[in-house]
Amino acid sequence: MQQETAAHVTTPPAVPRPREGGATGGRTRDPYFDNAKYLTIVLVACGHAWEPLTYGSRAATAIYLTVYAFHMPAFALISGYFSRSFDMAPGRVKRLLTGVVVPYLVFEVAYTLFYRWAQDDPGYPISLLDPWYVMWFLVALFIWRVTTPLWLALRHPVPVALAVAALASISPEAGGDLGLQRVLAFLPFFVVGLTLRPDHFTRLRTRRARLVALPVAAFALCTAYAVAPWMDAEWFYHRKSVAKLDGVPSWAGLLTTPALFGLALVLTACFLAWVPGRRTWFTALGSGTLYGYLLHGFIIKSSRFWDWYDHPWLHTPLGELTVTAAAVLMITALCTEPVRRVLRAVVEPRMDWAFRRTGSSAGS
């Protein structure tokens, strides 16, 4: 894949199709999508690191709201794009179990034990049906992926998924087990990813699209700054239904769900327009984002448990920049090959002993 390097480019760069099943391991990987995954996980880490800084800082709150408006939708969209080939074939089911279910079980228990130790609460229950902190995304990814054949069979899957999300937003019982509120709230973005084709990304990666993205992103940031004093970030978390938000009528979810969906798609497009297509120093880290995602929660929660943000200097402009740099360095380190090598047995286990030989590599 070539990136625009000259002032006059007559044709946009091509975006190769992802290899079957997501192109992992020794198969050829597309630098553009690895870059996008790395930059997205950086935003996830920064968002978690910025949250304590939003108390008392309007600028930090504005940046925080802007990032939260699209970073998880972008993650879900990219996940959907690389799930287009999922068809319940044995090889793909194996990868789903070893790459999503097993890490969920391992880290859900690990986070619970960590909480017991850090909070001196040995009785804190282990509940595989109530994802702790960042673990909800693995539950969501499993549910989304196993329902992929259903969404691909529909004539208009995105409107249907959006209707499901809107209905879930007005249901007071949608949160509960398995983080279902978030699963359904971010479902439309995964389904959008299922419907995308390489030419959609090609259209984004033009000089015109990048120039348009700048004022759009600037307008979004200015709007976030204007609403920062009263805007509740809970709208972007989707941890609970609109029916459970204070002072908000339950029917409002029928309007806010498509509105927030549209906002997230626009900002995701702006973000993807500026993702570099060439191989960079961080391209290889894109294949390790699951490691960074699963591990960074321990550090983020440690900062809350042991009051790292109590130092007043961290709430100054220079301190906020330091927190940002630390978050970037942290997530970068957690995505590196040495970390992956140590934890591969629990994050990407092969587990050949648990599966029958199919006699064919199809779907692997």
Side-chain angles (χ1 to χ4, degrees), residues 96-325:
L96 179 63
L97 294 176
T98 59
V100 177
V101 175
V102 171
Y104 173 75
L105 296 175
V106 170
F107 279 86
E108 180 66 22
V109 173
Y111 270 114
T112 303
L113 296 178
F114 171 69
Y115 181 90
R116 289 180 176 182
W117 170 73
Q119 297 295 90
D120 193 21
D121 184 4
Y124 189 79
I126 295 176
S127 176
L128 299 180
L129 296 180
D130 185 15
W132 200 79
Y133 196 37
V134 298
M135 299 309 298
W136 71 268
F137 188 77
L138 268 68
V139 174
L141 188 58
F142 175 81
I143 295 175
W144 296 339
R145 194 161 285 173
V146 296
T147 59
T148 290
L150 167 65
W151 299 112
L152 293 180
L154 295 177
R155 188 181 297 273
H156 303 293
V158 175
V160 174
L162 188 58
V164 171
L167 291 174
S169 74
I170 64 175
S171 172
E173 304 300 328
D177 293 342
L178 297 178
L180 191 58
Q181 181 63 55
R182 280 174 161 172
V183 173
L184 298 179
F186 291 103
L187 170 65
F189 302 102
F190 180 84
V191 175
V192 167
L194 292 175
T195 66
L196 293 179
R197 297 294 180 266
D199 58 289
H200 291 115
F201 294 94
T202 299
R203 294 172 192 171
L204 279 179
R205 298 182 56 240
T206 63
R207 182 176 297 275
R208 175 177 295 181
R210 291 176 178 176
L211 291 178
V212 170
L214 291 177
V216 172
F219 178 76
L221 187 59
C222 291
T223 302
Y225 187 83
V227 304
W230 54 266
M231 179 69 181
D232 187 352
E234 196 68 45
W235 285 100
F236 300 123
Y237 299 157
H238 299 292
R239 290 184 297 199
K240 53 188 177 182
S241 68
V242 172
K244 291 188 176 181
L245 294 177
D246 293 336
V248 180
S250 59
W251 56 262
L254 298 177
L255 301 177
T256 59
T257 298
L260 293 176
F261 174 75
L263 171 64
L265 281 187
V266 169
L267 293 180
T268 296
C270 293
F271 166 73
L272 292 175
W274 278 94
V275 170
R278 69 183 185 280
R279 182 166 293 278
T280 68
W281 64 266
F282 56 79
T283 299
L285 300 174
S287 60
T289 53
L290 180 59
Y291 293 79
Y293 183 82
L294 292 173
L295 293 171
H296 86 284
F298 291 104
I299 301 175
I300 294 297
K301 281 299 183 181
S302 294
S303 71
R304 311 305 202 256
F305 292 157
W306 291 295
D307 302 320
W308 295 358
Y309 287 85
D310 282 356
H311 302 283
W313 179 79
L314 291 178
H315 298 269
T316 66
L318 184 58
E320 292 168 352
L321 290 176
T322 301
V323 169
T324 302

Side-chain angles (χ1 to χ4, degrees), residues 19-30 34 37 95 279 284 287-288 337 340 344 348 350 364:
R19 297 298 297 270
E20 186 177 25
T24 58
R27 298 177 181 178
T28 302
R29 299 183 67 96
D30 181 358
D34 275 335
K37 288 192 289 184
R95 287 192 58 201
R279 182 166 293 278
S287 60
E337 180 59 30
R340 296 171 59 193
R344 184 168 286 122
E348 296 179 287
R350 295 187 59 87
S364 62

